[in-house]
Amino acid sequence: MLKPVDSLLKRDDLWLASQWQQEPCGIATGFPGLDRHLARQGWPNCGVVEVLVADPGSGEVLLLQSLMTPAQDQWLLLICPPFVPYAPAWSRKLDLSRLLCLTELDRKEQLWAAEQALASGSCQRVLLWLDALSVSESRRLQLAAERGDSVALVFLPLALEQQSHPVGLRLRLTPEPAGHRLQILKQRGGWPQSPQRLPLAPQGWGALPARDAATLVQGPW
């Protein structure tokens, strides 16, 4: 008969102190001060990163631009973004032939597409904008990302901050007059951190104009 502690150790939403040295080095964020506060000294190499935003499309992509260039044989997938990607700006940072953008999907289709893409091993990065996410849905995305050695960047509204999801990294990003305010709410292998101010500037990505003024980016189909 298993002891209560043994059953707890099998949960995937608990972190053990012995796992600290086993974590691989992360991907540099482009912000040295932020790297110092992240457990892997950068973004995780796989798993789910949740970003709580007050106004979708207000700069969350700029925070994660170091993750936006997939490997040569990999894809970058955007699922129902709140903006239409501005092709001339994005082309300065990545090969548009490796970018896929899915729109006009219902919620069930969004989650299905994200899970399939993450687990496939072909989409190294998946960006997903949602209005809500349950614990079971976040766990499925986390397991799919681990299976495909990929990263899911899930953008959620600030109203969901009090919910607890079994993900490796959870952030809150809010715009300010001189940049953005970022707080690490939860991270596997580390602790929550005090808010930081980041000077998020386009730096080659360019402004993302309104839907009716943008150029649509499509995949090779």
Side-chain angles (χ1 to χ4, degrees), residues 32-179:
L34 176 58
D35 288 341
R36 288 193 294 269
H37 287 84
L38 291 169
R40 295 185 177 92
Q41 303 301 299
W43 301 126
N45 293 275
C46 71
V48 175
V49 177
E50 281 188 2
V51 185
L52 302 170
V53 293
D55 183 17
S58 63
E60 62 268 24
V61 171
L62 303 177
L63 170 67
L64 302 159
Q65 56 187 299
S66 66
L67 286 172
M68 300 288 283
T69 304
Q72 186 175 1
D73 59 343
Q74 296 284 313
W75 297 89
L76 172 67
L77 174 61
L78 280 63
I79 300 178
C80 296
F83 50 80
V84 177
Y86 185 54
W90 284 60
S91 64
R92 300 170 193 160
K93 290 291 185 178
L94 55 86
D95 180 2
L96 294 185
S97 67
R98 310 307 298 175
L99 173 63
L100 301 174
C101 184
L102 302 180
T103 60
E104 304 301 327
L105 302 180
D106 61 33
R107 189 172 182 280
K108 184 177 180 179
E109 292 171 332
Q110 292 175 40
L111 291 167
W112 182 89
E115 186 176 355
Q116 297 301 312
L118 290 168
S120 70
S122 298
C123 289
Q124 197 170 32
R125 308 284 185 263
V126 175
L127 281 68
L128 174 64
W129 284 261
L130 292 171
D131 293 329
L133 187 67
S134 69
V135 172
S136 61
E137 291 166 345
S138 63
R139 182 178 290 109
R140 287 176 66 100
L141 292 177
Q142 177 72 26
L143 293 175
E146 292 174 356
R147 188 161 57 250
D149 195 25
S150 52
V151 178
L153 307 168
V154 182
F155 303 103
L156 298 169
L158 285 177
L160 303 183
E161 183 176 340
Q162 299 305 316
Q163 294 185 6
S164 179
H165 295 155
V167 299
L169 181 61
R170 201 161 197 246
L171 310 169
R172 181 177 66 212
L173 183 69
T174 51
E176 292 187 340

